[in-house]
Structure formats: structure tokens, C-alpha cells
Amino acid sequence: KLCEGILNILEKDTKTSCKVACLEALRILSRDKKVLVPVTTKRNMQILMRLAKLDTVEDPLERVSEFPVIVEALKCLCNIIFNSAIAQKLSLELNLAAMLCNLLEKCKDQQFVDDIKCFDLRLLFLLSLLHTDIRSQLRQELQGVQVLTQALESSLSVRWTEEYKAAEDRDRPPLSLQETDCAIEALKALFNVTLDSWNVHSENESHQFRYMAAILRHCLLTAGPTEDKTEELHSNAINLLSNVPVSCLDVLISPSSQEESDIKYNGMNMGAIQILLDFMEKRIDKGSSYREGLTPVLSLLTECCRTHRNIRKFIKAQVLPPLRDVSNRPEVGTTVRNKLVRLMTHVDLGVKQIAAEFLFVLCKERVDSLLKYTGYGNAAGLLAARGLLAGGRGDHWYSDDEDTDTEEYKSAKPNINLITGHLEEPMPNPMDEMTEEQKEYEAMKLVNMFDKLSRDELIKPMGVRPDGTMAPLEEAVSQYHTNKQDSSDSD
């Protein structure tokens, strides 16, 4: 009854302060799903849309006194659509997404509209998240990618020096809280709209994504008002970069000019890539929520390294520098390599796979190179999954560049334990003082123990086929015999 009474008042032409008070009350009530039934009708949704200036296509946003009403009406719509499936369906029927895009256009070059813009973008994010038809409508009919990209560019106040290069002003103050929130909402909405964008079919689409990637590079180099807000901004930028076709990610690096004091490699500005690496290490150090927090940035770095040679070489120099000290196991220590090798045996299968894949790509998918940095024990899971237990390399082609060993590594290499990947002191052989009879007895004892475990199906002895994949031991052995017979000469 209270909701209905409030909506009846809002339908009348009352003064601004009364509208704001009513909308604030309705916003609080709309958090409760049980009271939303009277609100989620076509008539009442249209009342809120009218108050949010969504039903007027031509009228510009001129009366600043009405802005609080627009903001509160948008907040109400956010709550209602989030909590009601009926409201989500009505949004499609009332063409709410198109009206929100139109309101964004009105906010362009307008002062005092940051709150309106922020909640407009939040509403677009919710619609594209909760209704797949609206996501398709935004992408195909409403040029949602272009509209949202422009909103993001405006929030970050991007200034262009070249086609895909934004100006880097090191003395620029951090973004305000409102600007940061607007950018975050735009990033989240763009993420939904650009899902499944790996296949770029036209030159226009390629330009759009490269333009977006250039803005995202600027976003990574931009700070928010607090450390937490900066991390949230960068996290959403990384999520969106994961949707950008990998061929368009070359704009993350650019030729470095003399006046730039940023991180350089092979004449390229690597500032954005360094921020991605720092972000990755920070998420590893956090020690929790790896699947949500760490896998997006690891996946992005893996794809960048697989496709772009300069990025791979720069990251390898940071993550896998030439080995000098091999006295400790690869997983022991505080370097980025140590942290990533520890993740290769993580309990979460997804985290374990992407960490191993990242290191494997840095090693140009060469098994011998991976084992050098990680040890056979840590790499066994990846090699078994890829059918590379017998050695070799992956399917992807990489350019041939130098991968020289240090003198320290070369001198230590003969004594490195291949399983653990570190230098071990020679252990005394316990069989040196045994007689032949004792050795035979211990060997048979071991065979009988394995046989019992196998017959009780506690373990299943496995072997490696000639092609590097795993198989039951009998099958693997028989394949080796078959190969040997086929290759032997006959009279």
C-alpha cells in the first residue's frame, strides 16, 4: 500500500523536494523483493522512467534542480530491475536500453551529471547482465560498444596524441570518486556487451576494439582516489581486456619516445604490461579467491605472450630471469617465479592449469625449458594433460630467440635433481653395503608390495606411451614392444 501511495504521488506534478523524498523512500522499499509486486507494472515503470528523463528523446538536460530527481529515479530502477524478473521483461518491452543510451548521449559535454551518468551505466550493466536479449540488442541495434566506449573515454578524460595512443600526463591528479565509479560501471557494462568477441570479422570491428584497448591501456596507467578504488578500476579493465581479440592487444605497447621515463624494452613502452605484472603478483600475495581474482589477469598475460613476441620477452625477463642460484627448490622463495611454481600444485584445478600454461608459454612451449625452471614434479600435471611426458614441445610456433644458460647454471646442471629442480648434495647409496642376496630380497619385497596395492585397486600402475601420453602400464609396455618390432630389420 505504501509503494502504491508513493507512486500515486509521483504521478502527479508535485514539487522537486517532495519527489526526491518519495523516491528515496521507494528506493529503500525496493530492496525488499516482497513489496515489488505493485511496482513492477507497465504504468509504474513508466512513471519512474519519466522521472528519470528516459521518455523524452529530444529534451536536453538543462534544469540542474531536477538532477536529484533523475538520480533517485535511476537508483529505484536499478533496485527494481535487480530484484524482479518481471521488471527485467518489462524493460525489454519498454525499450529501456535504448532510452538509457539516449540519456548517455544527453550527458555528453554536460556539467554536474556524473551521478546521472553513473547510475545510467549501472542500469545498463544490470540489464546486460540479467537479460541476454538486451545484451544482443545493445550489441547489434543500439551500437552499445561505441556508446559505452565513448562514456568510458569521457570518464577518464582521455586526450589523444596518435590514433591509438593517449597522452600520458604524469602530473595529473588521481581520478575523483565519481569519475572512478563512472569508469567502473562503463567497464562492467562493456564486459557484458563484448562477451564472445574473439572473432573479429570486419575492419570496422577491429578498429573499434583497438580503440577500446588503447583506452584500457590509459585506464591501467590511471590512479583512482584510493588504493582499493585503483585496484577495482584496474581489475575491471583487465576483465574487459580479456574480451578484446588478442590481435588487437598490440596497442598495449607503443614505441617509446625520448621524453617518456616509463619502463622500456626493445624501444617499446611497457608501462601497462608492468602494471599487469604488478597486479598479478599482488593478487597472488593476497592468497585467496584465486579463481575470481587471479585467473583473468593470468589468462590475459598468457594470450599476450603467446601472440606478441615483445610482450613475451619482456615478461620472461621479469618472471623467468636466467637461473643462477639453484640451491633451493623452484617453489621455495619470494620471487614471482617461486610464487607461480607454487600455484602449479594448487588444489583448484583451474588455477593450477592457468599458472602452468602461463609459464609454459613463457618457455615457448618447450618441455626442457619448462623443466629447467619448475622441476619435473611441479610440471607433471601440465605435461600429462598435454601429452608431453616424453618431452618435445607444444603445437604453437614461436620465434627463435636466444635462451642462454648462465655459467653458474651450466656448472651446477649435472647435479640438479630433475624431479625437484634444484641442486642436491649426493646422497649415500643404501645398497652399497648390501650383498647380492639382500638386494634381491629388497627388490622382491618392493615388487610384492606394488602387486598387492595394484590387485586391491588402491593404485593403478601407469606408463608413458611413445607419443608422450599416459596409459595403463601393460598397454604402454606393449606399445613400446610393438614399435621396437616394427622398426627392427628382418631378413
Coordinates of all heavy atoms in Angstrom, one line a residue, residues 168 170 217 221 252-256 260-275 277-278 314 318:
E168 N 50.1 10.8 -21.9 CA 50.4 10.3 -20.5 C 50.8 11.6 -19.7 O 52.0 12.0 -19.9 CB 51.5 9.3 -20.5 CG 51.0 8.0 -21.2 CD 52.1 6.9 -21.2 OE1 53.0 6.9 -20.3 OE2 52.1 6.1 -22.2
R170 N 52.0 12.7 -16.3 CA 52.4 12.1 -15.0 C 52.0 13.0 -13.8 O 52.0 12.6 -12.7 CB 53.9 11.9 -15.0 CG 54.3 11.0 -16.2 CD 55.7 10.5 -16.0 NE 56.0 9.6 -17.1 CZ 55.6 8.3 -17.2 NH1 54.9 7.8 -16.2 NH2 55.9 7.5 -18.2
R217 N 44.4 0.8 -21.9 CA 45.8 1.0 -21.6 C 45.9 2.2 -20.7 O 46.6 2.3 -19.7 CB 46.7 1.1 -22.9 CG 48.1 1.4 -22.6 CD 48.9 1.6 -23.9 NE 50.3 1.8 -23.6 CZ 50.8 3.0 -23.3 NH1 50.0 4.1 -23.3 NH2 52.1 3.2 -23.1
L221 N 47.0 2.9 -16.6 CA 48.1 3.9 -16.2 C 47.5 5.0 -15.4 O 48.2 6.0 -15.0 CB 48.8 4.5 -17.5 CG 49.5 3.5 -18.3 CD1 49.9 4.1 -19.6 CD2 50.8 2.9 -17.6
L252 N 48.6 -2.2 -26.5 CA 49.0 -2.1 -25.1 C 50.5 -1.6 -24.9 O 50.9 -1.1 -23.9 CB 48.8 -3.4 -24.3 CG 47.4 -3.9 -24.0 CD1 47.4 -5.2 -23.4 CD2 46.6 -2.8 -23.2
I253 N 51.3 -1.9 -26.0 CA 52.6 -1.4 -26.0 C 52.7 -0.4 -27.2 O 52.0 -0.6 -28.2 CB 53.7 -2.5 -26.1 CG1 53.5 -3.4 -27.4 CG2 53.6 -3.4 -24.9 CD1 54.5 -4.4 -27.6
S254 N 53.6 0.5 -27.1 CA 53.8 1.5 -28.2 C 55.2 2.0 -28.2 O 56.0 1.9 -27.2 CB 52.9 2.7 -27.9 OG 53.2 3.3 -26.7
P255 N 55.7 2.4 -29.4 CA 57.0 2.9 -29.5 C 57.3 4.0 -28.4 O 56.5 4.9 -28.3 CB 57.1 3.5 -30.9 CG 56.1 2.8 -31.7 CD 55.0 2.5 -30.7
S256 N 58.4 3.9 -27.7 CA 58.7 4.8 -26.6 C 59.4 6.1 -27.1 O 60.4 6.0 -27.8 CB 59.5 4.1 -25.6 OG 59.7 4.9 -24.5
E260 N 59.5 10.1 -22.5 CA 58.9 9.2 -21.6 C 59.9 8.5 -20.7 O 60.9 8.0 -21.2 CB 58.1 8.2 -22.4 CG 56.8 8.7 -23.1 CD 56.1 7.7 -23.9 OE1 56.7 6.6 -24.2 OE2 54.9 7.9 -24.2
S261 N 59.6 8.6 -19.4 CA 60.6 8.0 -18.5 C 60.0 6.6 -18.0 O 60.4 6.1 -16.9 CB 60.8 8.9 -17.3 OG 59.6 9.2 -16.7
D262 N 59.0 6.1 -18.7 CA 58.4 4.8 -18.3 C 59.3 3.6 -18.6 O 60.4 3.8 -19.2 CB 57.1 4.7 -19.1 CG 56.0 4.0 -18.2 OD1 56.5 3.2 -17.4 OD2 54.8 4.3 -18.3
I263 N 58.8 2.5 -18.2 CA 59.6 1.2 -18.4 C 59.6 0.9 -19.9 O 58.6 0.9 -20.6 CB 58.9 0.1 -17.7 CG1 58.9 0.4 -16.2 CG2 59.5 -1.3 -18.0 CD1 57.8 -0.1 -15.4
K264 N 60.9 0.7 -20.4 CA 61.1 0.5 -21.9 C 61.7 -0.9 -22.1 O 62.4 -1.4 -21.2 CB 62.0 1.6 -22.5 CG 61.4 3.0 -22.3 CD 62.4 4.0 -22.8 CE 61.9 5.4 -22.5 NZ 62.8 6.4 -22.9
Y265 N 61.4 -1.5 -23.3 CA 62.0 -2.7 -23.7 C 62.0 -2.8 -25.2 O 61.0 -2.6 -25.8 CB 61.2 -3.9 -23.1 CG 61.9 -5.3 -23.4 CD1 62.9 -5.7 -22.5 CD2 61.5 -6.0 -24.5 CE1 63.5 -6.9 -22.8 CE2 62.1 -7.2 -24.7 CZ 63.1 -7.7 -23.9 OH 63.8 -8.9 -24.1
N266 N 63.2 -3.0 -25.8 CA 63.3 -3.0 -27.2 C 62.7 -1.8 -27.9 O 62.0 -1.9 -28.9 CB 62.7 -4.3 -27.8 CG 63.6 -5.4 -27.8 OD1 64.7 -5.3 -27.4 ND2 63.1 -6.6 -28.3
G267 N 62.8 -0.6 -27.2 CA 62.3 0.6 -27.8 C 60.8 0.8 -27.6 O 60.2 1.7 -28.2
M268 N 60.1 -0.1 -26.8 CA 58.7 -0.1 -26.7 C 58.4 0.3 -25.2 O 59.1 -0.1 -24.3 CB 58.0 -1.4 -27.0 CG 58.4 -2.0 -28.3 SD 57.8 -0.9 -29.7 CE 56.0 -1.3 -29.7
N269 N 57.3 1.1 -25.1 CA 56.8 1.5 -23.7 C 56.0 0.3 -23.1 O 55.0 0.0 -23.6 CB 55.9 2.7 -23.9 CG 55.5 3.3 -22.5 OD1 55.4 2.6 -21.5 ND2 55.3 4.6 -22.5
M270 N 56.6 -0.2 -22.0 CA 56.0 -1.4 -21.4 C 55.2 -1.1 -20.1 O 55.0 -1.9 -19.2 CB 57.0 -2.4 -21.1 CG 57.6 -3.0 -22.4 SD 56.4 -4.2 -23.1 CE 57.4 -4.7 -24.6
G271 N 54.9 0.2 -19.9 CA 54.3 0.6 -18.6 C 53.0 -0.1 -18.3 O 52.8 -0.6 -17.1
A272 N 52.1 -0.3 -19.3 CA 50.9 -1.0 -19.0 C 51.1 -2.5 -18.7 O 50.4 -3.1 -17.8 CB 49.9 -0.9 -20.2
I273 N 52.1 -3.1 -19.4 CA 52.4 -4.6 -19.1 C 53.0 -4.7 -17.7 O 52.7 -5.7 -17.0 CB 53.4 -5.1 -20.2 CG1 52.8 -4.9 -21.6 CG2 53.7 -6.6 -19.9 CD1 51.5 -5.6 -21.9
Q274 N 53.8 -3.8 -17.3 CA 54.4 -3.8 -15.9 C 53.3 -3.7 -14.9 O 53.3 -4.4 -13.9 CB 55.4 -2.7 -15.7 CG 56.1 -2.7 -14.4 CD 56.9 -4.0 -14.2 OE1 57.8 -4.3 -15.1 NE2 56.7 -4.7 -13.1
I275 N 52.2 -2.9 -15.1 CA 51.1 -2.8 -14.2 C 50.4 -4.1 -14.1 O 49.9 -4.5 -13.1 CB 50.2 -1.6 -14.6 CG1 50.9 -0.3 -14.2 CG2 48.8 -1.7 -14.0 CD1 50.2 1.0 -14.7
L277 N 51.7 -7.1 -14.6 CA 52.5 -8.0 -13.8 C 52.4 -7.7 -12.3 O 52.3 -8.6 -11.5 CB 54.0 -7.9 -14.3 CG 54.3 -8.6 -15.5 CD1 55.7 -8.3 -16.0 CD2 54.2 -10.1 -15.3
D278 N 52.5 -6.4 -12.0 CA 52.4 -6.0 -10.6 C 51.0 -6.4 -10.0 O 50.9 -6.8 -8.8 CB 52.6 -4.5 -10.4 CG 54.0 -4.0 -10.8 OD1 54.9 -4.9 -10.8 OD2 54.2 -2.8 -11.0
F314 N 59.7 -9.4 -22.7 CA 59.7 -8.5 -21.5 C 59.3 -9.3 -20.3 O 59.9 -9.2 -19.2 CB 58.8 -7.3 -21.8 CG 58.7 -6.4 -20.6 CD1 59.7 -5.6 -20.2 CD2 57.5 -6.4 -19.9 CE1 59.6 -4.8 -19.1 CE2 57.3 -5.6 -18.8 CZ 58.4 -4.8 -18.4
Q318 N 61.2 -10.6 -16.6 CA 60.8 -10.3 -15.3 C 60.5 -11.6 -14.4 O 60.8 -11.6 -13.3 CB 59.5 -9.5 -15.3 CG 59.6 -8.2 -16.1 CD 60.2 -7.1 -15.3 OE1 59.9 -6.9 -14.2 NE2 61.0 -6.3 -15.9

